[in-house]
Amino acid sequence: MIEYKVGDVYRQMYRIRAVEERIAKEYPRGLMRCPTHFSVGQEAGDVAVGMALQAGDKAFSSHRSHGPYLAHGESITKLVAELHGDTAGTTHGRGGSMYLAGGRGQFVASLAVVGAAMGVAAGVALGVKMGKAPRVVACHVGDGVAEAGQFWEAINFASTRVLPLLTVVHHNRYATQTPVWDRQRDDDIAARVRPFMPSYRVGETDIKELHRVVGEAADKVRSGGPVFVQIDTYRFLEHVGPNEDDSLGYRSRAEVAGAKAIDPLMLLRRDVPPVLAQQIEDETDEVVGQVFAPYGG
């Protein structure tokens, strides 16, 4: 298990937040023509998985891809270029936000169709097992995936073939604007998966515990067999796009405000020495500004 270092965790979480807040700020200019699904509020889970993986491990994600992409160490420059349709982007400007591709090692790709990433990740995990390498294949998905047949097929396949697959559901309660209680009998997906494999459920506000659980899960996968983790989280922005949406009526302003009051990023900042936190923010903001400069941002 990788040692928990609060400064390193804050740096990674702030990196995702700073990039996405800048994307949200620049998006209304109309230069980014692709749909964008933001991870603002959900950074802790992405980073926990990214830091639990090692060199040689692989990761996939669903359409809410910016957080996983960055958490697994990928390039801000290539992400921003991709969103602008630039040939310097991760898929040469052809895929946009929902079809990011990796290039530095861990992150392989994001897939837009709900559940699609699970099937591909399970296939890659089978290849890893056949190669007899002690590797982990992680797959980041949302809670809506539990309503897709492909998810359960992949879970069953990973279980029966004892594949090195780490499935991580980032449970943010809503599928577009439909709450989980209108879609599923209960919100405990981990309990439903438990007959197939070891399953954990953990929240994002206790970030040290989150890293312990995810790290333990990754270690279990590496030593033999699939593991499932449900991370209870909350997205601050609309399902797709850069805006607030608490005026639409599907969730109340009080609910959103309550979630923001326990923003994992801000809770973590209290544990970081103030001088170090400011240094991390200044350095990150400078890098993000430089990346957006070629696009007039």
Side-chain angles (χ1 to χ4, degrees):
M1 188 178 296
I2 296 174
E3 182 183 357
Y4 177 85
K5 296 182 179 179
V6 66
D8 292 346
V9 176
Y10 184 71
R11 183 181 299 277
Q12 295 302 319
M13 286 178 59
Y14 185 80
R15 179 173 181 255
I16 297 171
R17 179 69 62 90
V19 170
E20 290 213 303
E21 287 186 341
R22 188 59 179 268
I23 292 170
K25 178 182 177 182
E26 302 293 337
Y27 194 83
R29 297 174 61 216
L31 298 180
M32 291 176 270
R33 302 294 182 89
C34 58
T36 49
H37 297 74
F38 289 81
S39 300
V40 176
Q42 301 188 191
E43 298 92 348
D46 294 330
V47 169
V49 178
M51 298 187 81
L53 266 57
Q54 300 175 9
D57 293 341
K58 300 299 178 184
F60 294 84
S61 86
S62 64
H63 53 271
R64 199 169 301 282
S65 56
H66 305 162
Y69 171 90
L70 293 171
H72 289 287
E74 294 294 335
S75 165
I76 298 174
T77 301
K78 284 185 173 292
L79 169 63
V80 174
E82 184 64 33
L83 267 58
H84 283 88
D86 192 329
T87 55
T90 73
T91 62
H92 308 292
R94 298 189 180 102
S97 170
M98 293 190 285
Y99 290 100
L100 300 177
R104 296 188 175 185
Q106 279 184 10
F107 191 84
V108 180
S110 59
L111 293 89
V113 177
V114 174
M118 283 293 298
V120 177
V124 172
L126 176 61
V128 168
K129 182 181 180 181
M130 292 172 68
K132 299 181 179 180
R135 303 301 186 201
V136 174
V137 179
C139 189
H140 299 258
V141 287
D143 52 276
V145 78
E147 297 145 43
Q150 194 165 350
F151 169 76
W152 293 105
E153 291 173 2
I155 289 292
N156 185 61
F157 186 69
S159 175
T160 57
R161 300 302 177 95
V162 196
L163 302 182
L165 178 66
L166 174 62
T167 302
V168 182
V169 164
H170 300 269
H171 197 307
N172 65 24
R173 309 184 201 176
Y174 295 95
T176 309
Q177 297 171 10
T178 305
V180 65
W181 48 90
D182 285 347
R183 300 182 282 112
Q184 301 176 22
R185 183 171 180 174
D186 63 62
D187 67 350
D188 197 343
I189 301 172
R192 282 176 265 163
V193 173
R194 197 160 288 125
F196 296 88
M197 62 188 65
S199 297
Y200 298 82
R201 184 176 186 180
V202 63
E204 276 195 324
T205 53
D206 186 341
I207 297 177
K208 188 172 184 178
E209 174 65 5
L210 170 66
H211 277 255
R212 185 196 69 78
V213 169
V214 173
E216 181 178 306
D219 288 346
K220 279 183 178 288
V221 173
R222 204 177 306 281
S223 61
V227 177
F228 177 90
V229 179
Q230 174 178 332
I231 300 175
D232 293 326
T233 185
Y234 199 85
R235 61 172 167 84
F236 295 168
L237 302 179
E238 58 190 335
H239 165 68
V240 54
N243 302 310
E244 303 279 348
D245 69 350
D246 55 10
S247 63
L248 299 182
Y250 77 95
R251 57 182 183 173
S252 68
R253 287 189 169 93
E255 179 183 303
V256 177
K260 290 182 177 181
I262 52 172
D263 177 357
L265 181 69
M266 294 299 100
L267 293 178
L268 182 63
R269 195 185 193 281
R270 300 174 186 174
D271 297 332
V272 182
V275 173
L276 176 59
Q278 191 63 56
Q279 178 185 344
I280 288 169
E281 292 161 9
D282 291 345
E283 291 174 354
T284 304
D285 292 345
E286 182 178 358
V287 169
V288 173
Q290 291 172 352
V291 170
F292 273 89
Y295 306 99

